[in-house]
Amino acid sequence: MNTVLTPSPVPLPPASGAWREGDPPGRRQWYAHPQPLPLETGGELPDVRLAFETWGRLASDRSNAVLVLHALTGDSHVAGPAEPGHPTPGWWGGLVGPGRALDTDRWFVVAPNVLGGCQGSTGPSSRGPSGRRWGGDFPFLTQRDQVAVEAALADALGVHRWALVVGGSMGGMRAVEWAVSHPERTGALLLLATTAAASAEQIAWASTQVHAIRSDPHWHGGRYHETGRGPHAGLGLARRIAHITYRSEPELQSRFGGRPQETEDPWRGGRYQVASYLDHHADKLVRRFDAGSYVVLSEAMNSHDVGRGRGGVRAALGRVTAPTLVAGVDSDRLYPPAQQAELAAGIPTADAPRVVESPYGHDGFLIEVEQVAALVRELLPPLPRSPRRRRDATAHTPDE
């Protein structure tokens, strides 16, 4: 398999785009779990750390904390510019900051990098007990494992109840797990473009992407971190497949149609515009992500079933006590609105399902910030403004 990536002045990482010890920390803080983490599949994961970022100030009564949970290739950098340690700007910057829906003069916003991720949290690119990178020996994770360590992070921060838990896509899977596993700690719930259980089609798409990575000759059973060359082609192909499902067919048609890329001739080895677009997104991901994390997180998403061991989806959703809004994107073909309707119907405290109108498909929950902001404002009551303070170990000025 040949590596086909868009030419870039930024060199490819030798094996992985993961954050590593010695890299600039950026805005990250870390929580170290004090004991091995028991896993749903059995066994335990030792030496667990979560990277996280915060904005705003925790109120004296600790009532103003908001938990933001990212999607598959997201991370803790919800808001802020690209800077040393953060290769891309915040992925929901229009939602978090002074005067925005998550007003950081009022709310204390916390965003962890998911367990199994690659931007500072314990995952396949982290060093295991042997001192070597976990690689292919990293254990299977589920959303419940990820939420368990996020709950421990909340304890460490002194947050006993979140005013709001919000997430979209994979983050929405964890958000609904939070509300079912810890209803007493979830004050309000916003679920975006997500589902109560992974569908056969979602599992099929993710499994195909995992197969693309594992088929790369540089995968080496996941033990590529010390070889000097990672499965870049496989990860890039996985991203291309995923990105097609993230956007809508009408949007791709209107933007690209069947037009060739600039002066390239597809009949003579050149590319179409849409192929160049997918190449660009593959190249970007390879430079900031880890193939092992992509596999671990995709398999965790495939395992998602909030009703597992709880008497089924309906019984599990019946545990939710938080005021809830569930929203789908009208053009989403990966997490279609019928799945959000099922969530809203099953959660006793949910309002009628909402629709985010967008031509952008599944990515609409990230792009249509104003529509998401309106949903946030429905759930979060106004609080008295607290004075701004200088940046310290647990709070950041949100407009940096």
Side-chain angles (χ1 to χ4, degrees), residues 3-87:
T3 301
V4 181
L5 295 172
T6 307
S8 170
V10 180
L12 283 171
S16 171
W19 184 94
R20 293 194 175 190
E21 302 87 348
D23 289 346
R27 300 172 56 100
R28 293 175 184 83
Q29 304 168 60
W30 277 270
Y31 162 71
H33 200 53
Q35 62 270 332
L37 178 72
L39 300 177
E40 187 181 359
T41 57
E44 56 188 24
L45 179 62
D47 302 323
V48 170
R49 292 202 315 165
L50 279 192
F52 67 98
E53 296 178 50
T54 66
W55 297 261
R57 181 179 181 178
L58 185 61
S60 58
D61 64 359
R62 303 178 181 186
S63 64
N64 69 330
V66 173
L67 181 64
V68 177
L69 301 174
H70 68 76
L72 172 60
T73 60
D75 53 34
S76 64
H77 199 51
V78 175
E83 59 183 288
H86 300 295

Side-chain angles (χ1 to χ4, degrees), residues 88-290:
T88 54
W91 50 270
W92 239 358
L95 201 68
V96 177
R100 295 171 182 160
L102 290 176
D103 186 343
T104 48
D105 288 340
R106 300 180 176 187
W107 302 104
F108 177 63
V109 179
V110 180
N113 180 216
V114 68
L115 181 65
C118 63
Q119 287 298 319
S121 292
T122 298
S125 60
S126 306
R127 295 194 183 277
S130 69
R132 299 176 66 84
R133 308 287 173 185
W134 273 101
D137 295 326
F138 196 79
F140 189 97
L141 296 179
T142 69
Q143 270 72 34
R144 296 183 195 178
D145 301 324
Q146 293 163 339
V147 167
V149 72
E150 289 168 1
L153 166 64
D155 292 340
L157 292 172
V159 176
H160 305 301
R161 178 180 172 87
W162 299 105
L164 172 68
V165 177
V166 55
S169 193
M170 185 186 81
M173 293 178 176
R174 303 206 316 283
V176 73
E177 274 292 344
W178 256 101
V180 170
S181 298
H182 304 284
E184 75 288 352
R185 304 189 70 170
T186 307
L189 181 66
L190 177 55
L191 304 175
L192 301 164
T194 195
T195 182
S199 70
E201 185 174 33
Q202 288 156 354
I203 293 170
W205 281 119
S207 297
T208 302
Q209 294 163 47
V210 167
H211 185 71
I213 293 171
R214 287 178 167 157
S215 297
D216 190 307
H218 298 290
W219 171 245
H220 297 300
R223 299 174 184 85
Y224 56 86
H225 294 92
E226 315 294 347
T227 68
R229 183 169 182 181
H232 300 320
L235 179 57
L237 180 55
R239 180 60 167 182
R240 289 175 177 88
I241 295 167
H243 204 76
I244 296 168
T245 71
Y246 295 160
R247 310 303 281 229
S248 74
E249 187 278 334
E251 186 225 354
L252 294 178
Q253 178 63 25
S254 65
R255 286 181 66 181
F256 306 113
R259 295 182 291 277
Q261 171 66 7
E262 297 180 348
T263 59
E264 298 183 32
D265 184 351
W267 289 19
R268 291 173 173 80
R271 297 173 299 171
Y272 292 96
Q273 287 183 8
V274 69
S276 173
Y277 168 73
L278 296 176
D279 289 347
H280 170 71
H281 282 280
D283 179 78
K284 284 176 61 178
L285 187 73
V286 165
R287 297 175 194 280
R288 68 173 181 84
F289 214 75
D290 178 67

